[in-house]
Amino acid sequence: MRLGSHVSIAGRLYLSVARAAAIGCQTMQIFSGNPRSWLSVKYDSADIAEFKKRRQAAGISPVTIHLPYLVNISSPDDEIRRKSVKAVLADLDIAKRIGADYLVVHAGSHRGAGRDVGLKSIAESLKEILTAPFGSVSLLLENTSGAGNAMGAGMLELGKIFNYFNHEERLGLCLDTCHAYGAGYDLATEAGLNNLFADIDSNFSFSRVHFLHFNDCRGALGSGLDRHEQIGKGFIGEHGFRLILNHPRLQQLAGVIETPNPNPDDDKLNLAKLRQLST
Ligand SMILES: [Zn+2]
Ligand SMILES: [Zn+2]
């Protein structure tokens, strides 16, 4: 399993590679711009060329771009939905230009309009998005912890979305361990982990799973809370991460931490912890 971290692009895009390499990343995730803004950024060609060169030299693969938090492709509000589609297409364009492999977006929220409305909205959004030229990029929906009106917490609902489209190579899943735990999948135990995989198998092809987010969980099992914790210090715990990291079905995948990092060394320490638990 290839392990890495979410890293900052502050300053210049290419600087993110050195940040990733310095903490021992084999794979990495970035925001293309400000995660709390709708504005998409423009990188100049020198920055992109340098990024590609340095990434190659550092042997970092795959590279993932995470969409901003404001994006809601399940929104019942047509203006927000359109803005969200535009944001996904803008990041898809960036992903192709910088040679990223995956684009991760949360399934979004129906904002109280009901799950059926949410499903209709997300289907509408994906229909527009998936007809764009993708190159070798894949769009990954990230499972959510299910709080409030969040879509895509359970594998049943994600399966409904995936199976609506034929684009198996363009549309897959980014599996977040904290969100799965918050949604009621007990990843602290082997039975719970196998139950998650069985739930995937009965709703969509396991080959849809491309990327992982390794986060421990501060919220209780099934609480719906999306509160990340440092690896080993939450409810999933060291034992749970040992099970996840060594599970035969996940060995060909890659994933990153998105753990809290109040101290400068936190990402490095959490990544080292993952590596230690994976052997
Ligand atoms: Zn995540
Ligand atoms: Zn989260």
Coordinates of all heavy atoms in Angstrom, one line a residue, residues 135-215:
G135 N -9.3 12.5 -19.9 CA -7.9 12.1 -20.0 C -7.7 10.9 -19.1 O -8.5 10.0 -19.2
S136 N -6.6 10.8 -18.3 CA -6.4 9.7 -17.5 C -6.9 9.9 -16.0 O -6.5 9.2 -15.1 CB -5.0 9.2 -17.5 OG -4.2 10.3 -17.2
V137 N -7.6 11.0 -15.8 CA -8.1 11.4 -14.5 C -9.4 10.6 -14.1 O -10.2 10.3 -15.0 CB -8.4 12.9 -14.4 CG1 -8.9 13.3 -13.0 CG2 -7.2 13.7 -14.8
S138 N -9.5 10.2 -12.9 CA -10.8 9.6 -12.4 C -11.4 10.5 -11.3 O -10.7 11.0 -10.5 CB -10.6 8.2 -11.8 OG -10.1 7.3 -12.8
L139 N -12.7 10.6 -11.4 CA -13.4 11.4 -10.4 C -13.9 10.4 -9.3 O -14.5 9.3 -9.6 CB -14.7 12.0 -11.0 CG -15.6 12.8 -10.0 CD1 -14.9 14.1 -9.5 CD2 -16.9 13.1 -10.6
L140 N -13.5 10.7 -8.0 CA -13.9 9.8 -6.9 C -14.8 10.5 -6.0 O -14.5 11.6 -5.5 CB -12.6 9.4 -6.1 CG -11.4 8.8 -7.0 CD1 -10.3 8.4 -6.0 CD2 -11.9 7.6 -7.8
L141 N -15.9 9.9 -5.7 CA -16.9 10.4 -4.7 C -16.3 9.9 -3.3 O -15.9 8.7 -3.2 CB -18.3 9.8 -4.9 CG -19.0 10.2 -6.2 CD1 -20.4 9.6 -6.1 CD2 -19.1 11.7 -6.3
E142 N -16.3 10.8 -2.3 CA -15.9 10.3 -1.0 C -17.1 10.0 -0.2 O -18.0 10.8 -0.1 CB -15.0 11.5 -0.4 CG -14.6 11.1 1.0 CD -13.6 12.2 1.6 OE1 -13.2 13.1 0.9 OE2 -13.2 12.0 2.8
N143 N -17.0 8.9 0.5 CA -18.1 8.5 1.4 C -18.2 9.6 2.6 O -17.1 10.1 3.0 CB -17.9 7.1 2.0 CG -16.7 7.0 2.8 OD1 -15.6 7.3 2.3 ND2 -16.8 6.5 4.0
T144 N -19.4 9.9 3.1 CA -19.5 10.9 4.1 C -19.9 10.2 5.4 O -20.3 9.0 5.4 CB -20.6 11.9 3.8 OG1 -21.8 11.2 3.5 CG2 -20.1 12.7 2.6
S145 N -19.8 10.9 6.6 CA -20.2 10.3 7.8 C -21.7 10.3 8.1 O -22.2 9.7 9.0 CB -19.4 11.0 9.0 OG -19.6 12.4 8.8
G146 N -22.4 11.0 7.2 CA -23.9 10.8 7.2 C -24.6 11.8 8.1 O -25.8 11.7 8.3
A147 N -23.9 12.8 8.7 CA -24.6 13.7 9.6 C -25.6 14.5 8.8 O -25.4 14.9 7.6 CB -23.6 14.7 10.2
G148 N -26.7 14.9 9.4 CA -27.7 15.7 8.8 C -28.2 15.2 7.5 O -28.7 14.2 7.3
N149 N -27.9 16.0 6.5 CA -28.5 15.8 5.1 C -27.4 15.3 4.2 O -27.6 15.3 2.9 CB -29.1 17.0 4.6 CG -30.2 17.6 5.5 OD1 -31.0 16.8 6.0 ND2 -30.2 18.9 5.8
A150 N -26.3 14.8 4.7 CA -25.2 14.4 3.8 C -25.6 13.2 3.0 O -26.2 12.3 3.5 CB -23.9 14.0 4.7
M151 N -25.2 13.2 1.7 CA -25.4 12.1 0.8 C -24.2 11.2 0.8 O -23.1 11.6 1.1 CB -25.6 12.6 -0.6 CG -26.8 13.6 -0.8 SD -28.4 12.8 -0.6 CE -28.4 11.7 -2.1
G152 N -24.4 9.9 0.5 CA -23.3 9.0 0.3 C -22.5 8.5 1.5 O -21.3 8.4 1.5
A153 N -23.3 8.3 2.6 CA -22.6 7.7 3.8 C -22.6 6.2 3.7 O -21.7 5.6 4.1 CB -23.4 8.2 5.0
G154 N -23.7 5.6 3.2 CA -23.8 4.2 3.1 C -23.5 3.7 1.7 O -23.6 4.4 0.7
M155 N -23.0 2.5 1.6 CA -22.6 1.9 0.3 C -23.8 1.7 -0.6 O -23.6 1.7 -1.8 CB -21.8 0.6 0.5 CG -20.5 0.8 1.4 SD -19.4 2.1 0.7 CE -19.0 3.0 2.2
L156 N -24.9 1.5 0.0 CA -26.2 1.3 -0.8 C -26.4 2.6 -1.6 O -26.7 2.5 -2.8 CB -27.4 1.0 0.2 CG -28.7 1.0 -0.5 CD1 -28.9 -0.2 -1.4 CD2 -29.9 1.0 0.6
E157 N -26.4 3.7 -1.0 CA -26.6 5.0 -1.7 C -25.5 5.3 -2.7 O -25.8 5.7 -3.9 CB -26.8 6.1 -0.7 CG -27.3 7.4 -1.4 CD -27.8 8.4 -0.3 OE1 -27.0 9.1 0.3 OE2 -29.0 8.4 -0.1
L158 N -24.3 5.0 -2.3 CA -23.2 5.2 -3.3 C -23.3 4.3 -4.5 O -23.1 4.7 -5.6 CB -21.8 5.0 -2.6 CG -21.4 6.1 -1.7 CD1 -20.3 5.7 -0.7 CD2 -20.9 7.3 -2.4
G159 N -23.8 3.0 -4.2 CA -24.0 2.1 -5.3 C -25.1 2.6 -6.3 O -24.9 2.4 -7.5
K160 N -26.1 3.2 -5.7 CA -27.2 3.7 -6.6 C -26.6 4.8 -7.5 O -27.0 4.8 -8.7 CB -28.3 4.4 -5.7 CG -29.3 3.5 -5.1 CD -30.4 4.3 -4.4 CE -31.2 3.4 -3.5 NZ -32.1 4.2 -2.6
I161 N -25.7 5.6 -7.0 CA -25.1 6.7 -7.8 C -24.2 6.0 -8.9 O -24.3 6.4 -10.0 CB -24.3 7.7 -6.9 CG1 -25.3 8.3 -5.9 CG2 -23.6 8.7 -7.8 CD1 -24.6 9.1 -4.8
F162 N -23.3 5.1 -8.4 CA -22.4 4.5 -9.4 C -23.1 3.8 -10.5 O -22.7 3.8 -11.6 CB -21.4 3.5 -8.6 CG -20.5 4.2 -7.7 CD1 -20.1 3.6 -6.5 CD2 -19.9 5.4 -8.0 CE1 -19.2 4.2 -5.7 CE2 -19.1 6.1 -7.1 CZ -18.7 5.4 -6.0
N163 N -24.1 3.0 -10.1 CA -24.7 2.1 -11.0 C -25.6 2.8 -12.0 O -26.1 2.3 -13.0 CB -25.5 1.0 -10.3 CG -24.5 0.1 -9.5 OD1 -23.4 -0.1 -10.0 ND2 -24.9 -0.4 -8.4
Y164 N -25.9 4.1 -11.7 CA -26.7 4.9 -12.6 C -25.9 5.2 -13.9 O -26.4 5.5 -14.9 CB -27.1 6.2 -11.9 CG -28.0 7.1 -12.6 CD1 -29.4 6.8 -12.5 CD2 -27.6 8.2 -13.4 CE1 -30.3 7.6 -13.2 CE2 -28.5 9.0 -14.0 CZ -29.9 8.7 -13.9 OH -30.8 9.5 -14.6
F165 N -24.6 5.2 -13.8 CA -23.7 5.5 -14.9 C -22.9 4.3 -15.3 O -22.6 3.4 -14.6 CB -22.7 6.6 -14.5 CG -23.4 7.9 -14.1 CD1 -23.7 8.2 -12.8 CD2 -23.9 8.8 -15.1 CE1 -24.3 9.3 -12.4 CE2 -24.6 9.9 -14.7 CZ -24.8 10.2 -13.4
N166 N -22.5 4.3 -16.6 CA -21.6 3.2 -17.1 C -20.1 3.5 -17.0 O -19.3 2.6 -17.2 CB -22.0 2.9 -18.6 CG -23.3 2.3 -18.7 OD1 -23.7 1.5 -17.8 ND2 -24.1 2.7 -19.7
H167 N -19.8 4.8 -16.7 CA -18.4 5.2 -16.7 C -17.6 4.6 -15.6 O -17.1 5.4 -14.7 CB -18.3 6.7 -16.6 CG -19.0 7.4 -17.8 ND1 -18.5 7.4 -19.0 CD2 -20.1 8.2 -17.8 CE1 -19.3 8.1 -19.8 NE2 -20.3 8.6 -19.1
E168 N -17.4 3.3 -15.6 CA -16.6 2.7 -14.5 C -15.2 3.3 -14.4 O -14.7 3.4 -13.3 CB -16.6 1.2 -14.7 CG -15.8 0.5 -13.6 CD -16.4 -0.7 -13.1 OE1 -17.4 -1.2 -13.6 OE2 -16.0 -1.2 -12.0
E169 N -14.6 3.6 -15.5 CA -13.2 4.1 -15.4 C -13.1 5.5 -15.0 O -12.1 6.0 -14.6 CB -12.5 3.9 -16.8 CG -12.9 4.7 -18.0 CD -14.4 4.6 -18.4 OE1 -15.0 3.6 -18.0 OE2 -14.9 5.5 -19.1
R170 N -14.2 6.3 -15.1 CA -14.2 7.7 -14.7 C -14.7 8.0 -13.3 O -14.5 9.1 -12.8 CB -15.1 8.5 -15.7 CG -14.5 8.6 -17.1 CD -15.2 9.5 -17.9 NE -14.6 9.5 -19.2 CZ -15.0 10.3 -20.2 NH1 -16.0 11.2 -20.0 NH2 -14.4 10.3 -21.4
L171 N -15.5 7.1 -12.8 CA -16.2 7.4 -11.5 C -16.0 6.3 -10.5 O -16.3 5.1 -10.7 CB -17.7 7.5 -11.8 CG -18.6 7.9 -10.6 CD1 -18.2 9.3 -10.1 CD2 -20.0 7.9 -11.0
G172 N -15.4 6.6 -9.4 CA -15.1 5.6 -8.3 C -15.3 6.2 -6.9 O -15.9 7.2 -6.7
L173 N -14.7 5.4 -6.0 CA -14.8 5.8 -4.6 C -13.5 6.1 -3.9 O -12.5 5.4 -4.1 CB -15.5 4.6 -3.8 CG -15.7 4.8 -2.3 CD1 -16.8 5.8 -2.0 CD2 -16.1 3.5 -1.7
C174 N -13.5 7.2 -3.1 CA -12.4 7.4 -2.2 C -13.0 7.1 -0.8 O -14.0 7.7 -0.4 CB -12.0 8.9 -2.2 SG -10.9 9.3 -0.9
L175 N -12.4 6.1 -0.2 CA -13.0 5.6 1.1 C -12.3 6.3 2.3 O -11.1 6.1 2.5 CB -12.8 4.1 1.1 CG -13.4 3.3 2.3 CD1 -14.9 3.4 2.3 CD2 -13.0 1.9 2.3
D176 N -13.0 7.0 3.1 CA -12.5 7.7 4.2 C -12.9 6.9 5.5 O -14.0 6.6 5.7 CB -13.1 9.1 4.3 CG -12.5 9.9 5.5 OD1 -12.5 9.5 6.6 OD2 -12.0 11.0 5.2
T177 N -11.8 6.5 6.2 CA -12.0 5.6 7.4 C -12.8 6.2 8.5 O -13.7 5.6 9.1 CB -10.7 5.1 8.0 OG1 -9.9 6.2 8.3 CG2 -9.9 4.2 7.0
C178 N -12.6 7.5 8.7 CA -13.3 8.2 9.8 C -14.8 8.4 9.4 O -15.6 8.2 10.3 CB -12.7 9.6 10.0 SG -13.7 10.7 11.1
H179 N -15.0 8.7 8.2 CA -16.4 8.9 7.7 C -17.2 7.6 7.8 O -18.3 7.5 8.2 CB -16.5 9.5 6.3 CG -15.8 10.8 6.2 ND1 -15.6 11.4 5.0 CD2 -15.2 11.6 7.1 CE1 -15.0 12.6 5.2 NE2 -14.7 12.7 6.4
A180 N -16.5 6.5 7.4 CA -17.1 5.2 7.4 C -17.5 4.8 8.9 O -18.6 4.3 9.1 CB -16.2 4.1 6.8
Y181 N -16.6 5.1 9.8 CA -16.8 4.8 11.2 C -18.0 5.6 11.7 O -18.9 5.1 12.4 CB -15.6 5.0 12.0 CG -15.6 4.5 13.4 CD1 -15.3 3.2 13.7 CD2 -16.0 5.3 14.5 CE1 -15.4 2.7 15.0 CE2 -16.1 4.8 15.8 CZ -15.8 3.5 16.0 OH -15.9 3.0 17.3
G182 N -18.0 6.9 11.4 CA -19.1 7.8 11.8 C -20.4 7.3 11.2 O -21.5 7.6 11.8
A183 N -20.4 6.7 10.0 CA -21.6 6.2 9.4 C -22.0 4.9 9.9 O -23.1 4.3 9.5 CB -21.4 6.2 7.9
G184 N -21.2 4.3 10.8 CA -21.7 3.0 11.4 C -20.9 1.8 11.1 O -21.3 0.7 11.5
Y185 N -19.9 1.9 10.2 CA -19.1 0.7 9.9 C -17.9 0.6 10.9 O -17.1 1.5 11.0 CB -18.5 0.9 8.5 CG -19.5 0.9 7.4 CD1 -19.9 2.1 6.8 CD2 -20.1 -0.3 6.9 CE1 -20.8 2.1 5.8 CE2 -21.0 -0.3 5.9 CZ -21.4 0.9 5.3 OH -22.3 1.0 4.3
D186 N -17.9 -0.5 11.7 CA -17.0 -0.6 12.8 C -15.6 -1.0 12.4 O -15.3 -2.2 12.5 CB -17.5 -1.5 13.9 CG -16.7 -1.5 15.2 OD1 -15.7 -0.7 15.2 OD2 -17.0 -2.3 16.1
L187 N -14.8 -0.1 11.9 CA -13.5 -0.4 11.4 C -12.5 -0.7 12.5 O -11.3 -1.0 12.2 CB -13.0 0.7 10.5 CG -13.8 1.1 9.3 CD1 -13.1 2.1 8.4 CD2 -14.3 -0.1 8.5
A188 N -12.9 -0.7 13.7 CA -12.0 -1.0 14.8 C -11.9 -2.6 15.0 O -11.0 -3.1 15.7 CB -12.5 -0.4 16.1
T189 N -12.8 -3.3 14.3 CA -12.8 -4.7 14.4 C -12.7 -5.4 13.0 O -13.2 -4.8 12.0 CB -14.1 -5.3 15.1 OG1 -15.2 -5.0 14.2 CG2 -14.3 -4.6 16.4
E190 N -12.2 -6.6 13.0 CA -12.1 -7.3 11.7 C -13.5 -7.6 11.1 O -13.7 -7.5 9.9 CB -11.4 -8.7 11.9 CG -11.0 -9.3 10.6 CD -9.8 -10.3 10.8 OE1 -9.5 -10.7 12.0 OE2 -9.3 -10.7 9.8
A191 N -14.4 -8.0 12.0 CA -15.8 -8.3 11.5 C -16.4 -7.0 10.9 O -17.1 -7.1 9.9 CB -16.7 -8.8 12.7
G192 N -16.2 -5.8 11.5 CA -16.7 -4.6 11.0 C -16.1 -4.2 9.7 O -16.8 -3.7 8.8
L193 N -14.8 -4.5 9.5 CA -14.1 -4.1 8.3 C -14.7 -5.1 7.2 O -15.0 -4.6 6.1 CB -12.6 -4.3 8.5 CG -11.7 -3.9 7.4 CD1 -11.9 -2.5 7.0 CD2 -10.2 -4.2 7.8
N194 N -14.8 -6.3 7.5 CA -15.3 -7.3 6.5 C -16.8 -7.0 6.1 O -17.2 -7.2 5.0 CB -15.2 -8.7 7.0 CG -13.7 -9.1 6.9 OD1 -13.0 -8.7 6.0 ND2 -13.3 -10.0 7.8
N195 N -17.5 -6.5 7.1 CA -18.9 -6.1 6.9 C -19.0 -4.9 5.9 O -19.8 -4.9 5.0 CB -19.6 -5.7 8.2 CG -20.9 -5.1 8.0 OD1 -21.7 -5.7 7.3 ND2 -21.2 -4.0 8.6
L196 N -18.0 -4.0 6.0 CA -18.0 -2.8 5.1 C -17.7 -3.4 3.6 O -18.4 -3.0 2.7 CB -16.9 -1.9 5.5 CG -16.5 -0.8 4.4 CD1 -17.7 0.1 4.1 CD2 -15.3 0.0 4.8
F197 N -16.7 -4.3 3.5 CA -16.4 -4.8 2.2 C -17.6 -5.6 1.6 O -17.8 -5.6 0.4 CB -15.1 -5.7 2.3 CG -13.9 -4.9 2.7 CD1 -12.8 -5.5 3.3 CD2 -13.8 -3.5 2.4 CE1 -11.7 -4.8 3.6 CE2 -12.7 -2.8 2.7 CZ -11.6 -3.4 3.3
A198 N -18.3 -6.4 2.5 CA -19.4 -7.1 2.0 C -20.5 -6.2 1.5 O -21.2 -6.5 0.6 CB -20.0 -8.0 3.2
D199 N -20.6 -5.1 2.2 CA -21.6 -4.1 1.8 C -21.3 -3.4 0.5 O -22.1 -3.2 -0.3 CB -21.7 -3.0 2.9 CG -23.1 -2.3 3.0 OD1 -24.1 -2.9 2.4 OD2 -23.2 -1.2 3.6
I200 N -20.0 -3.2 0.3 CA -19.5 -2.7 -1.0 C -19.9 -3.8 -2.1 O -20.5 -3.5 -3.1 CB -18.0 -2.4 -1.0 CG1 -17.7 -1.2 -0.1 CG2 -17.5 -2.2 -2.4 CD1 -16.3 -0.8 0.0
D201 N -19.5 -5.0 -1.8 CA -19.7 -6.1 -2.8 C -21.1 -6.3 -3.2 O -21.4 -6.6 -4.3 CB -19.1 -7.4 -2.2 CG -17.6 -7.5 -2.2 OD1 -17.0 -6.7 -2.9 OD2 -17.1 -8.2 -1.3
S202 N -22.0 -6.0 -2.3 CA -23.4 -6.3 -2.6 C -24.0 -5.0 -3.3 O -25.2 -5.1 -3.8 CB -24.2 -6.7 -1.4 OG -24.1 -5.7 -0.4
N203 N -23.3 -3.9 -3.4 CA -23.9 -2.7 -4.0 C -23.1 -2.2 -5.2 O -23.8 -1.6 -6.1 CB -24.0 -1.6 -3.0 CG -25.1 -1.9 -1.9 OD1 -26.2 -1.9 -2.3 ND2 -24.7 -2.1 -0.7
F204 N -21.8 -2.5 -5.3 CA -21.1 -2.1 -6.5 C -19.8 -2.8 -6.5 O -19.4 -3.5 -5.6 CB -20.9 -0.6 -6.6 CG -20.2 0.1 -5.4 CD1 -18.8 0.2 -5.3 CD2 -21.0 0.5 -4.3 CE1 -18.3 0.8 -4.2 CE2 -20.4 1.1 -3.2 CZ -19.0 1.2 -3.1
S205 N -19.1 -2.8 -7.7 CA -17.9 -3.5 -7.9 C -16.8 -2.9 -7.0 O -16.5 -1.7 -7.0 CB -17.5 -3.5 -9.3 OG -16.1 -3.9 -9.4
F206 N -16.0 -3.8 -6.3 CA -14.9 -3.3 -5.4 C -13.9 -2.6 -6.2 O -13.1 -1.8 -5.7 CB -14.3 -4.5 -4.7 CG -13.5 -4.1 -3.5 CD1 -14.2 -3.9 -2.3 CD2 -12.2 -4.0 -3.5 CE1 -13.5 -3.6 -1.1 CE2 -11.4 -3.6 -2.4 CZ -12.1 -3.4 -1.2
S207 N -13.8 -2.8 -7.5 CA -12.8 -2.2 -8.4 C -13.1 -0.7 -8.5 O -12.3 0.1 -8.9 CB -12.8 -2.8 -9.8 OG -14.1 -2.6 -10.4
R208 N -14.2 -0.2 -8.0 CA -14.5 1.2 -7.9 C -13.7 1.9 -6.8 O -13.6 3.2 -6.8 CB -16.0 1.5 -7.6 CG -17.0 1.0 -8.6 CD -17.4 2.1 -9.5 NE -18.5 1.8 -10.4 CZ -19.0 2.6 -11.3 NH1 -18.4 3.7 -11.6 NH2 -20.0 2.2 -12.0
V209 N -13.2 1.2 -5.9 CA -12.4 1.8 -4.7 C -11.0 2.0 -5.2 O -10.3 1.1 -5.6 CB -12.4 0.8 -3.5 CG1 -11.7 1.6 -2.3 CG2 -13.8 0.4 -3.1
H210 N -10.6 3.3 -5.3 CA -9.3 3.7 -5.8 C -8.4 4.3 -4.8 O -7.2 4.2 -5.0 CB -9.5 4.7 -7.0 CG -10.1 4.1 -8.2 ND1 -9.4 3.4 -9.1 CD2 -11.4 4.1 -8.7 CE1 -10.1 3.0 -10.1 NE2 -11.4 3.5 -9.9
F211 N -8.9 5.0 -3.8 CA -8.0 5.8 -3.0 C -8.6 5.8 -1.6 O -9.8 5.6 -1.4 CB -8.0 7.2 -3.5 CG -6.8 8.0 -3.1 CD1 -5.5 7.7 -3.4 CD2 -7.0 9.2 -2.3 CE1 -4.5 8.5 -3.0 CE2 -5.9 10.0 -1.9 CZ -4.7 9.6 -2.3
L212 N -7.7 6.0 -0.6 CA -8.2 5.9 0.8 C -7.8 7.2 1.6 O -6.8 7.8 1.3 CB -7.5 4.7 1.5 CG -7.9 3.3 1.0 CD1 -6.8 2.3 1.3 CD2 -9.2 2.9 1.5
H213 N -8.7 7.6 2.5 CA -8.3 8.7 3.4 C -8.2 8.0 4.8 O -9.2 7.5 5.3 CB -9.4 9.7 3.5 CG -9.4 10.7 2.3 ND1 -10.4 11.6 2.1 CD2 -8.4 10.9 1.4 CE1 -10.1 12.3 1.0 NE2 -8.9 11.9 0.6
F214 N -7.0 8.0 5.4 CA -6.7 7.4 6.7 C -6.9 8.4 7.8 O -6.0 9.3 8.0 CB -5.3 6.8 6.7 CG -5.0 5.7 5.8 CD1 -4.2 5.9 4.7 CD2 -5.6 4.5 5.9 CE1 -3.9 4.9 3.8 CE2 -5.4 3.5 5.0 CZ -4.5 3.7 4.0
N215 N -8.0 8.4 8.4 CA -8.2 9.3 9.6 C -8.8 8.5 10.7 O -9.7 7.7 10.5 CB -9.2 10.4 9.2 CG -8.7 11.2 8.0 OD1 -7.6 11.8 8.0 ND2 -9.5 11.3 6.9

